[in-house]
Amino acid sequence: MKTTRPGRLPVRSVNQYRRRDTLAYLGLRYYLDNEAARTDRWAREVAPGFILARTEPAYFRTSHFKTISDQGAIELRELFAPGPSEALTEATLLEECARRPEAFGNLTCVFSYPPITGGHRSGYFEHYMPGLRRRHKEITRACTRSPNGEVRYCDIRGFYPSITTELATKIWLERCEAGSLSVRLREIGAKLIVDHAKAAGQKTRGLITGPMFSHLLGNLVLRKIDEDFSISESVAYFRYVDDIVLVGERDAINRSMTTLRDRLNALGFELYDDQSPKSIIVPASVWLEGHNDFAQ
């Protein structure tokens, strides 16, 4: 019997989750054994209908190793694997957002989760390593321009769980308006944001980690900060997810850090303090010693 060749969107879903979450990947493989579900039409019309109609979110909740605390205790990060219908819905949603880079695309100072455009089947986002390489090269260039300056590396504490439902919804709808996204797609995105909060319960303030849609929202909620800090003439600004790097003279960086903390606090975020292992301050000359760290 002749079988239907899988559509681009189901293949993108499988390829995205096969390299990120085994359980979501296996769920998709079993789900796509249904020949009708392998079509782009199913991903665009049927799967989103399931999401809009559901009254309870469906995620597989798991705990992954995060770090070992100063007291020697193992700390875990909760991840929520989405079901197949949601993964296919994400494919539709993220493809439409990728077609509107003026509203949803990354600025040149942001190197995490750039949406893949065109007819690619490799996933929703570019693989993480090219972004890390580009960021490292840009930091190196900035250090070369400020050889007597310093590099300040800082990290937002609990980034995704700190993104409230209200903030995510507000930013989502603003960017949808800027990109003229259809009413149905706006509703789907808003519904996923609400479902994230339901799934998390009292553990977080809003977004969960696991679904790919969270990564788009993470970039969007920091977009205005990216815009404002990237135009500075005294300090170079680079961001990868919740890691922010500033390069410049010490006094200029200190002023920028004060403003950055205030801006992030206003959104409900908090940077790790300077004594944390996640905060690094080194002379630009020291950073340049590792300029080939990502060459291979």
Side-chain angles (χ1 to χ4, degrees):
M1 183 177 71
K2 184 179 179 180
T3 59
T4 302
R5 184 174 184 267
R8 185 182 71 260
L9 296 175
V11 172
R12 291 186 75 178
S13 294
V14 169
N15 286 335
Q16 181 66 52
Y17 279 102
R18 75 191 302 171
R19 66 192 188 204
R20 295 299 301 267
D21 193 302
T22 302
L23 293 172
Y25 166 67
L26 290 175
L28 276 165
R29 290 299 302 264
Y30 280 106
Y31 188 88
L32 296 174
D33 195 45
N34 176 350
E35 194 166 330
R38 299 176 203 162
T39 64
D40 286 341
R41 183 178 179 184
W42 186 284
R44 291 192 178 105
E45 299 177 18
V46 181
F50 293 152
I51 301 304
L52 289 171
R54 71 187 184 188
T55 56
E56 293 296 328
Y59 299 97
F60 188 83
R61 194 172 192 160
T62 60
S63 297
H64 288 217
F65 173 80
K66 181 179 181 181
T67 187
I68 296 179
S69 70
D70 294 338
Q71 293 73 37
I74 294 177
E75 295 183 5
L76 301 175
R77 173 187 287 115
E78 281 197 313
L79 294 183
F80 296 77
S85 290
E86 182 167 338
L88 294 175
T89 299
E90 286 181 327
T92 295
L93 197 59
L94 295 173
E95 181 175 76
E96 291 301 320
C97 291
R99 290 173 175 168
R100 297 162 172 81
E102 71 287 350
F104 298 99
N106 288 352
L107 302 181
T108 57
C109 60
V110 180
F111 302 87
S112 53
Y113 295 104
I116 295 177
T117 58
H120 292 276
R121 291 172 171 251
S122 57
Y124 315 149
F125 299 107
E126 183 183 288
H127 191 268
Y128 70 89
M129 185 53 70
L132 285 176
R133 288 193 184 119
R134 288 196 300 271
R135 183 186 67 164
H136 196 73
K137 287 181 180 178
E138 291 303 318
I139 294 173
T140 298
R141 290 192 180 99
C143 288
T144 301
R145 294 192 297 269
S146 300
N148 298 319
E150 67 180 26
V151 179
R152 186 77 61 95
Y153 182 104
C154 52
D155 190 349
I156 300 174
R157 186 191 300 271
F159 177 53
Y160 288 110
S162 297
I163 301 174
T164 64
T165 302
E166 294 75 19
L167 175 61
T169 301
K170 176 178 178 292
I171 299 297
W172 167 247
L173 294 178
E174 287 177 357
R175 301 321 302 167
C176 287
E177 184 67 23
S180 299
L181 209 63
S182 72
V183 172
R184 179 176 170 83
L185 290 176
R186 298 182 196 201
E187 291 175 349
I188 291 169
K191 179 65 160 56
L192 289 176
I193 292 170
V194 170
D195 284 353
H196 281 202
K198 284 185 178 180
Q202 300 300 316
K203 291 275 188 172
T204 73
R205 301 167 66 191
L207 289 192
I208 55 178
T209 305
M212 294 297 107
F213 186 50
S214 293
H215 301 309
L216 176 71
L217 294 170
N219 277 338
L220 294 182
V221 298
L222 294 178
R223 185 184 179 96
K224 188 64 172 68
I225 289 178
D226 298 334
E227 290 175 348
D228 293 344
F229 278 80
S230 64
I231 61 176
S232 170
E233 296 182 357
S234 58
V235 175
Y237 170 96
F238 312 96
R239 182 172 66 79
Y240 191 97
V241 191
D242 53 358
D243 297 338
I244 297 172
V245 177
L246 303 178
V247 181
E249 300 300 321
R250 177 174 297 178
D251 289 345
I253 285 182
N254 287 339
R255 290 192 296 271
S256 292
M257 282 297 299
T258 298
T259 304
L260 180 61
R261 286 185 187 277
D262 290 343
R263 292 283 301 274
L264 289 171
N265 289 345
L267 293 175
F269 301 122
E270 178 187 4
L271 286 174
Y272 283 93
D273 58 42
D274 291 343
Q275 285 69 49
S276 168
K278 294 194 174 186
S279 295
I280 302 172
I281 305 173
V282 298
S285 57
V286 173
W287 182 278
L288 286 171
E289 293 175 5
H291 71 280
N292 283 323
D293 284 355
F294 285 87
Q296 301 302 318

